Amino acid sequence: MIMDTQPKFPSQEKSLTNGQKSGTERPKPMGPGLGKMESRMAAQTTRPAAKLPPPGEDGERAERIRERARTFIMPVIAIFFIGLFWEIYSSRTGVTLPGPIKTVTESWKLIAHPWFDNGPNDKGLGWHLLSSLERVGLGYSLAAVVGVFLGIVIGKSAMAFKAFDPIFQVLRTIPPLAWLPISLATFNQANPSAVFVIFITAIWPIIINTSVGIMRIPADYENVARVYQLKGSRYFFKVMLPSAAPYIFTGLRIAIGMAWLAIVAAEMLTGGVGIGFFIWDSWNSSRMSDIIVSVFYVGMVGLVLDRIMARIALLFGSIGD
């Protein structure tokens, strides 16, 4: 019996033991930079995954998109059916009202070139609208300043309210055109008369809404103003104006629409350059298509003025907050 008499060193025994435990595989050498890459990949795998929006948010977003689409599409559909009914009605025998197609065809020069100027009696719609807006701006500004001041006085003073409120309630029911002969007799000129008609028409809703807003200032605000001894301009800008602002801007928004209505009626009788005079002159010249186009422009300008006042009210509210 032959026995292996070669001595086994301890290192060989350890390698054999490790080989038996790990099998026949040998550890692979780690190249330079491989450890850093593996640690970086491990760090990336440990990062939290991107969160997807909840299913409810996608539904709300889709609903908002559909609501905006309906807001845009529904007026277009309504305008289409109104125009279709208008065209059918105007095509009947005995009807002198031109349809939409005939209106656009006959007044295309007026639509495509609103800023032409061929003399004092032959101007585009842009010049007429600009002249009317100048009168409205002047009369409306005066009405806003005077109306807010009188509204504050009436709202703060019970005696002033009892004295002037019945007078204002009577004057505000007078139609704008009823003031025109009085203004012509007073100023003897067409332009100041038209401005006065705008002023006297727009001032009443401003006075009434401002006075109501001043009367409804909360008592807590008044008590705080007394504690901090707010007087004069500080009381006006810190307490009175922010509290009454919703009522004031409601009156201003109503007044701008009434002023725009009044200028058209006033310019029909005063003459000169203006959208009201243009409508009356077109009627005397039997240009119904021009009247329809000018009426459309009047409505669009009125809408823009109303939206501007609404934006100013929102801006003032955000600044006040």
Side-chain angles (χ1 to χ4, degrees):
M1 185 174 183
I2 300 174
M3 297 180 64
D4 189 4
T5 59
Q6 292 182 354
K8 295 182 179 179
F9 296 99
S11 60
Q12 293 179 353
E13 291 179 357
K14 290 181 179 180
S15 63
L16 289 174
T17 305
N18 294 332
Q20 290 174 358
K21 291 180 180 180
S22 61
T24 58
E25 295 181 358
R26 294 182 179 180
K28 296 181 181 180
M30 184 175 293
L34 188 60
K36 295 181 180 180
M37 185 179 297
E38 290 182 351
S39 62
R40 192 180 302 167
M41 293 176 63
Q44 291 179 356
T45 55
T46 57
R47 291 178 182 176
K51 295 182 179 180
L52 296 175
E57 292 185 5
D58 292 339
E60 292 178 359
R61 183 180 179 184
E63 181 62 27
R64 287 196 299 268
I65 293 174
R66 286 194 293 267
E67 183 65 25
R68 291 175 182 175
R70 286 193 293 266
T71 304
F72 175 76
I73 293 174
M74 295 307 294
V76 173
I77 295 175
I79 292 172
F80 172 77
F81 281 105
I82 292 173
L84 182 62
F85 174 78
W86 177 15
E87 184 67 32
I88 295 173
Y89 176 78
S90 62
S91 61
R92 297 173 58 188
T93 57
V95 177
T96 58
L97 181 70
I101 298 176
K102 186 178 179 180
T103 299
V104 174
T105 303
E106 293 181 350
S107 302
W108 178 248
K109 179 184 176 182
L110 202 65
I111 299 171
H113 305 285
W115 298 104
F116 70 86
D117 188 357
N118 298 328
N121 296 325
D122 190 9
K123 295 180 180 291
L125 270 179
W127 297 110
H128 290 284
L129 288 171
L130 186 61
S131 179
S132 298
L133 285 172
E134 290 177 358
R135 297 188 181 101
V136 169
L138 181 57
Y140 178 76
S141 300
L142 293 174
V145 174
V146 177
V148 171
F149 175 76
L150 291 178
I152 292 173
V153 171
I154 293 172
K156 294 296 293 182
S157 175
M159 294 182 61
F161 177 80
K162 292 179 180 179
F164 291 104
D165 183 68
I167 300 174
F168 291 161
Q169 294 299 332
V170 172
L171 294 178
R172 73 180 184 89
T173 59
I174 299 175
L177 285 180
W179 291 102
L180 191 57
I182 300 175
S183 62
L184 287 171
T186 304
F187 299 103
N188 295 320
Q189 292 181 5
N191 194 54
S193 300
V195 173
F196 175 79
V197 170
I198 297 166
F199 167 81
I200 204 68
T201 304
I203 195 172
W204 309 122
I206 300 175
I207 293 176
I208 294 172
N209 283 272
T210 302
S211 61
V212 171
I214 296 299
M215 292 177 184
R216 294 188 179 181
I217 295 177
D220 295 339
Y221 291 4
E222 298 285 354
N223 295 331
V224 171
R226 293 191 189 97
V227 171
Y228 286 96
Q229 296 181 355
L230 297 178
K231 297 179 181 179
S233 61
R234 293 184 62 192
Y235 173 77
F236 177 76
F237 288 105
K238 295 292 185 181
V239 178
M240 185 183 298
L241 189 60
S243 179
Y247 296 92
I248 294 174
F249 279 102
T250 299
L252 292 173
R253 189 174 179 181
I254 296 172
I256 192 65
M258 296 181 67
W260 188 239
L261 292 174
I263 188 59
V264 174
E267 288 177 344
M268 284 185 177
L269 301 178
T270 56
V273 180
I275 191 64
F277 170 75
F278 179 82
I279 292 174
W280 188 250
D281 184 65
S282 299
W283 167 255
N284 292 328
S285 302
S286 301
R287 301 194 307 268
M288 285 300 303
S289 299
D290 292 351
I291 295 175
I292 294 172
V293 172
S294 58
V295 167
F296 174 78
Y297 275 92
V298 168
M300 294 302 297
V301 172
L303 176 63
V304 171
L305 293 175
D306 180 76
R307 291 295 182 266
I308 290 174
M309 288 304 305
R311 289 291 182 181
I312 294 174
L314 291 176
L315 179 63
F316 186 86
S318 63
I319 293 174
D321 294 339

